[in-house]
Amino acid sequence: MHARRRTEPTLDAPAPTLEAGLDPTAPCTLHSQISQWLRERITTGDWPEHYRLPAEPDLASQLGVSRGTLRRAVRTLVGEGLLVQTRGRGTFVATTVVEPPLAQRLTTLSEALVDAGHPLTTTVIGQEVTEPPAPVAALLEIDGPRSVLRLERVRHLDGTAVARLVNYVRLDLAAAIEHVDFAAHTLFAALEHTCGVTITSARRRFDAVTAGDTTAALLGISPLTPLLHLEQLTFTTDEVPLEFSDVWLRADRLRVTSHLTRT
Amino acid sequence: MHARRRTEPTLDAPAPTLEAGLDPTAPCTLHSQISQWLRERITTGDWPEHYRLPAEPDLASQLGVSRGTLRRAVRTLVGEGLLVQTRGRGTFVATTVVEPPLAQRLTTLSEALVDAGHPLTTTVIGQEVTEPPAPVAALLEIDGPRSVLRLERVRHLDGTAVARLVNYVRLDLAAAIEHVDFAAHTLFAALEHTCGVTITSARRRFDAVTAGDTTAALLGISPLTPLLHLEQLTFTTDEVPLEFSDVWLRADRLRVTSHLTRT
């Protein structure tokens, strides 16, 4: 599923013959036949996302082609975005979904995507000072009118709406948040830099839901689509609750990942 | 959403009057009226899961009852499982779902549930030595017949089927796994203790899917139910892949949680 060291091949075993169906007499070049064979390994799922290709000399020898021919075919697939090469680690099947570590680090979706080199754009659906729903008010430990900023946004990744976010921010702790331009600034950046609030910790809870009418309309999907749903309660210093959010994520575009070690 | 320190109340503000609708002349006792009012706060969602109740003297004074009466009502709701009390931290609205930290720690579902005091039972659906599907074989870096143990289980929590698990374990690394009784033993325990294999790390990936026919039949739910889906690749020493698993979780019974700090 992800990059890792391979076990050493057994040197005394015969190299398996790969059935690439190469035909040196075919009208198309050998490297384009190799490209097509590699493409099929990926599109059929035989080589899943994160699969690391055998080392170049091994694969070239198994295919019965020169390393130069193999390299040229690999370069074609890198250009198509189907393979990725990491210096010193090898060649991997690319992922078609973005995999932010939202459950493992207190980064926001936008921070995770920007870190991963995915530009994203934001549409602000609503931004209003209001009284939150009773359960949110209880978790944020507030009451009364004009107590929170309710912010509703849609995040777009490569032109596709991938997430709907609804945030409630305590105005008594971050008054300046009211007039921030959220098409241009992220919430955590605005809280930390514009409002000078320290974000210390958060609790996140993930479940799966069907999209429902409102979220489906905003994301342009069927109301029955299963979505990852994230609830977050963010704290400032002294464990004072600062912000509550609901986030719906298109699971076909974003998968939450964790790298964990056994202790 | 979870336990935390409360902000100090403003001492010069008048205590808000809670509209508990108490009637000292009613035929039922005052503490049972308070119990009913507390119950309604929870069932209406005004007090959500993880909400911490105001301190006992404050709440008693807001309700206009003695601390003894309030305490008796709270005890009733603790008995009903609607409130939980934690020594030194206060009284909280109980959660109705189990919240394993699967995305944050490399514990298994069974370990997380046992740690949380939830007994679970396991039904083994299948246990056979086989050749895995091609994508799994690629991630596990194996080929050939009889290369893995395929294990399929259903986990029950309080009598309800909450998770379907399908695991593929490399037999060359853990031959003794083949004959373990998985109704009585967990996979990680068997790998570590029966097979003497060291589990070092894993990569987990979460998304949301609809249950589909097979999983729905095993969990006794509709095929359209949205489920949390977890893919896991587990490594032993030297980042050698050891085990691949697919897990489907009933999101209405289990929610994956993380407590995160901002660094």
Side-chain angles (χ1 to χ4, degrees):
Chain A
M1 212 153 70
H2 70 110
R4 62 215 176 274
R5 212 173 310 154
R6 289 175 66 81
T7 48
E8 288 304 307
T10 311
L11 293 176
D12 53 0
T17 306
L18 293 180
E19 295 175 4
L22 301 182
D23 177 4
T25 69
C28 68
T29 59
L30 208 52
H31 70 80
S32 70
Q33 292 179 55
I34 300 281
S35 295
Q36 183 53 27
W37 180 80
L38 291 170
R39 213 175 278 118
E40 281 167 11
R41 297 286 72 65
I42 297 167
T43 53
T44 57
D46 281 357
W47 287 0
E49 294 177 7
H50 295 291
Y51 174 67
R52 188 167 104 156
L53 272 61
E56 191 181 279
D58 298 343
L59 186 55
S61 134
Q62 287 164 21
L63 288 167
V65 298
S66 73
R67 292 178 61 174
T69 301
L70 175 60
R71 204 175 300 144
R72 191 159 165 189
V74 165
R75 219 161 37 221
T76 302
L77 268 78
V78 169
E80 293 171 3
L82 290 172
L83 292 177
V84 287
Q85 288 185 307
T86 309
R87 184 180 295 273
R89 304 194 68 198
T91 304
F92 299 87
V93 175
T95 57
T96 56
V97 295
V98 184
E99 304 188 329
L102 293 183
Q104 196 173 20
R105 291 209 300 272
L106 184 44
T107 50
T108 60
L109 178 61
S110 58
E111 289 167 340
L113 295 181
V114 168
D115 283 356
H118 293 278
L120 86 168
T121 56
T122 302
T123 308
V124 176
I125 307 296
Q127 181 171 352
E128 52 177 347
V129 174
T130 182
E131 186 179 358
V136 175
L139 289 172
L140 289 177
E141 302 179 358
I142 49 172
D143 52 36
R146 291 191 55 81
S147 53
V148 297
L149 179 75
R150 181 187 186 279
L151 177 63
E152 180 168 2
R153 292 168 295 169
V154 170
R155 297 276 198 216
H156 302 264
L157 182 66
D158 303 325
T160 304
V162 294
R164 174 189 176 212
L165 301 86
V166 176
N167 308 84
Y168 297 92
V169 186
R170 273 177 62 164
L171 280 172
D172 59 332
L173 300 175
I177 206 75
E178 183 175 347
H179 301 294
V180 169
D181 172 9
F182 285 105
H185 300 280
T186 67
L187 178 58
F188 271 27
L191 284 169
E192 291 177 325
H193 305 134
T194 309
C195 305
V197 178
T198 305
I199 294 169
T200 55
S201 67
R203 181 184 168 87
R204 289 179 171 169
R205 197 162 82 159
F206 294 87
D207 61 349
V209 297
T210 46
D213 291 338
T214 306
T215 305
L218 287 169
L219 299 185
I221 54 178
S222 152
L224 291 175
T225 309
L227 298 179
L228 268 175
H229 172 235
L230 158 63
E231 258 180 42
Q232 171 178 282
L233 187 61
T234 308
F235 299 92
T236 182
T237 316
D238 292 332
E239 294 184 51
V240 173
L242 169 66
E243 180 262 340
F244 177 86
S245 49
D246 272 307
V247 179
W248 293 266
L249 300 168
R250 275 188 68 163
D252 58 339
R253 296 302 184 106
L254 296 164
R255 286 188 198 144
V256 172
T257 56
S258 299
H259 290 263
L260 304 168
T261 50
R262 181 97 167 154
T263 48
Chain B
M1 211 152 69
H2 70 111
R4 63 214 174 274
R5 211 174 309 155
R6 290 177 65 82
T7 48
E8 289 302 308
T10 311
L11 293 175
D12 54 0
T17 305
L18 295 180
E19 294 175 5
L22 301 182
D23 177 3
T25 68
C28 67
T29 59
L30 208 53
H31 70 80
S32 69
Q33 292 180 55
I34 299 282
S35 296
Q36 182 52 28
W37 180 81
L38 291 170
R39 214 174 276 119
E40 282 168 11
R41 297 286 70 66
I42 298 167
T43 54
T44 57
D46 281 357
W47 286 2
E49 292 176 11
H50 295 289
Y51 173 68
R52 187 168 104 154
L53 273 61
E56 190 181 279
D58 297 344
L59 186 54
S61 132
Q62 287 164 19
L63 289 166
V65 299
S66 73
R67 292 179 60 174
T69 300
L70 174 61
R71 204 174 300 145
R72 192 159 166 189
V74 164
R75 220 159 37 221
T76 302
L77 270 78
V78 169
E80 293 171 3
L82 291 171
L83 293 176
V84 286
Q85 289 186 306
T86 311
R87 183 180 296 272
R89 304 194 68 198
T91 303
F92 299 86
V93 175
T95 56
T96 56
V97 294
V98 184
E99 304 188 330
L102 293 183
Q104 196 172 21
R105 291 208 301 271
L106 184 45
T107 49
T108 60
L109 178 60
S110 59
E111 289 168 340
L113 295 181
V114 167
D115 283 355
H118 293 278
L120 87 166
T121 56
T122 300
T123 308
V124 176
I125 306 296
Q127 180 170 352
E128 52 179 346
V129 174
T130 182
E131 186 178 358
V136 174
L139 290 173
L140 289 178
E141 301 178 359
I142 48 173
D143 52 37
R146 291 192 54 80
S147 55
V148 297
L149 178 76
R150 181 186 187 278
L151 176 62
E152 179 168 3
R153 293 168 294 169
V154 170
R155 296 277 198 215
H156 302 264
L157 183 66
D158 303 326
T160 303
V162 295
R164 174 189 176 211
L165 301 85
V166 176
N167 308 86
Y168 298 92
V169 186
R170 272 176 64 162
L171 280 172
D172 59 333
L173 299 174
I177 207 75
E178 183 177 347
H179 301 295
V180 169
D181 172 10
F182 285 107
H185 300 281
T186 67
L187 178 57
F188 271 26
L191 284 168
E192 292 177 324
H193 304 132
T194 309
C195 305
V197 179
T198 305
I199 294 169
T200 55
S201 66
R203 181 183 167 88
R204 289 179 171 169
R205 194 161 84 158
F206 294 87
D207 62 348
V209 297
T210 46
D213 291 338
T214 306
T215 305
L218 286 168
L219 299 185
I221 54 177
S222 153
L224 291 175
T225 309
L227 297 179
L228 268 175
H229 172 235
L230 158 62
E231 258 181 41
Q232 172 178 282
L233 186 61
T234 307
F235 300 93
T236 183
T237 315
D238 293 332
E239 294 184 51
V240 172
L242 170 65
E243 179 263 339
F244 177 84
S245 48
D246 271 308
V247 180
W248 293 266
L249 300 168
R250 275 189 67 164
D252 58 339
R253 296 302 184 105
L254 296 164
R255 285 185 198 147
V256 172
T257 55
S258 299
H259 290 263
L260 305 166
T261 51
R262 181 97 167 153
T263 48

